[in-house]
Amino acid sequence: MVSDELLHGDAITNLLNNGSVSDIDRLRLVMLYALRYERDSPVQLMQLFNKLASRSSKYKPGLVQFLLKQAGVDKRTGDLFGNRDLLNYALNMARGIKGVENVYTQHQPLLFQTMENFVKGRLRDVDYPYVGNHFQQARPQEVVIFIVGGTTYEEARSVALLNSTNSGIRFILGGTAVLNSKRFLKDLEEAQRIARSSTGVA
């Protein structure tokens, strides 16, 4: 049986070779693959880096590697891809088997799972430490979520969906910006530029 990372890597390689795929889409595909399989398939990842550099004239060298340095598995808390523990893996498999109404909204951001865990009282203290007196008798009725670096439309949709379930808790979402992929890439390139200038790397 062929592993997911090899199947996905081959599919992305085919898309990188497809002349109708835009440079920004090529970059996004390699970034998603890198975030998902950074530890599982380093050889395939290096091949994709090289293919991306040869196929995309606008590709900034080292941008995917910079993303991994800033947001790779060693920097993340939580289970972004639902594959760190057996329960999440099984839940993701079950969701995939059921099918979805709309392929464009099938993905749920990590924030949705975090809010669900809050409602159920299952947030881990080590990942979400308390400030002040956390031994209150009742759960808060309003929870403010503020994301430094920016939030996405998909996260706003998740907040609206969870608020519509009448769980007794109202979530309020804020952030330093509202991100889309182009804005995210622009911010990432700027962060890379700043990091290079502060370390003296050209």
Side-chain angles (χ1 to χ4, degrees):
M1 189 166 107
V2 180
S3 65
D4 284 347
E5 61 262 22
L6 289 176
L7 286 173
H8 295 156
D10 289 345
I12 290 173
T13 299
N14 290 336
L15 289 168
L16 292 177
N17 288 326
N18 185 334
S20 65
V21 176
S22 70
D23 284 346
I24 193 168
D25 286 340
R26 287 184 177 120
L27 177 59
R28 291 189 302 194
L29 286 167
V30 173
M31 285 181 160
L32 288 171
Y33 183 88
L35 287 168
R36 175 63 178 88
Y37 296 116
E38 66 182 292
R39 288 200 173 148
D40 300 329
S41 190
V43 172
Q44 180 104 14
L45 192 54
M46 190 55 65
Q47 291 171 349
L48 290 175
F49 290 162
N50 293 334
K51 179 67 75 174
L52 179 65
S54 70
R55 296 291 301 176
S56 297
S57 59
K58 296 179 182 174
Y59 172 63
K60 306 278 192 297
L63 190 61
V64 180
Q65 293 89 330
F66 182 73
L67 172 68
L68 291 176
K69 185 178 178 183
Q70 301 302 313
V73 70
D74 292 333
K75 298 288 185 175
R76 295 191 300 258
T77 59
D79 193 0
L80 181 61
F81 292 102
N83 62 343
R84 282 194 182 169
D85 66 48
L86 191 57
L87 177 62
N88 281 335
Y89 188 77
L91 288 172
N92 283 338
M93 292 291 286
R95 281 187 196 124
I97 293 169
K98 286 182 197 172
V100 292
E101 289 178 28
N102 182 341
V103 70
Y104 297 110
T105 59
Q106 73 181 2
H107 175 260
Q108 288 184 337
L110 181 60
L111 179 61
F112 188 84
Q113 181 183 355
T114 303
M115 291 184 302
E116 278 188 329
N117 286 339
F118 179 83
V119 169
K120 296 173 183 174
R122 293 192 310 209
L123 276 186
R124 294 176 24 166
D125 290 351
V126 68
D127 291 334
Y128 300 93
Y130 289 94
V131 175
N133 181 10
H134 65 281
F135 297 107
Q136 299 174 357
Q137 294 295 326
R139 260 190 282 176
Q141 301 304 303
E142 289 189 333
V143 176
V144 176
I145 302 165
F146 190 87
I147 303 174
V148 175
T151 185
T152 65
Y153 293 105
E154 185 180 32
E155 289 165 337
R157 178 182 175 275
S158 292
V159 168
L161 284 173
L162 203 57
N163 281 340
S164 70
T165 64
N166 296 320
S167 65
I169 300 172
R170 181 173 169 250
F171 292 95
I172 302 166
L173 179 64
T176 52
V178 177
L179 297 175
N180 59 26
S181 61
K182 288 181 181 177
R183 169 76 188 261
F184 174 77
L185 290 174
K186 181 180 173 196
D187 290 350
L188 187 65
E189 287 175 0
E190 179 64 13
Q192 182 187 32
R193 186 191 65 74
I194 291 169
R196 283 183 171 172
S197 66
S198 68
T199 59
V201 177

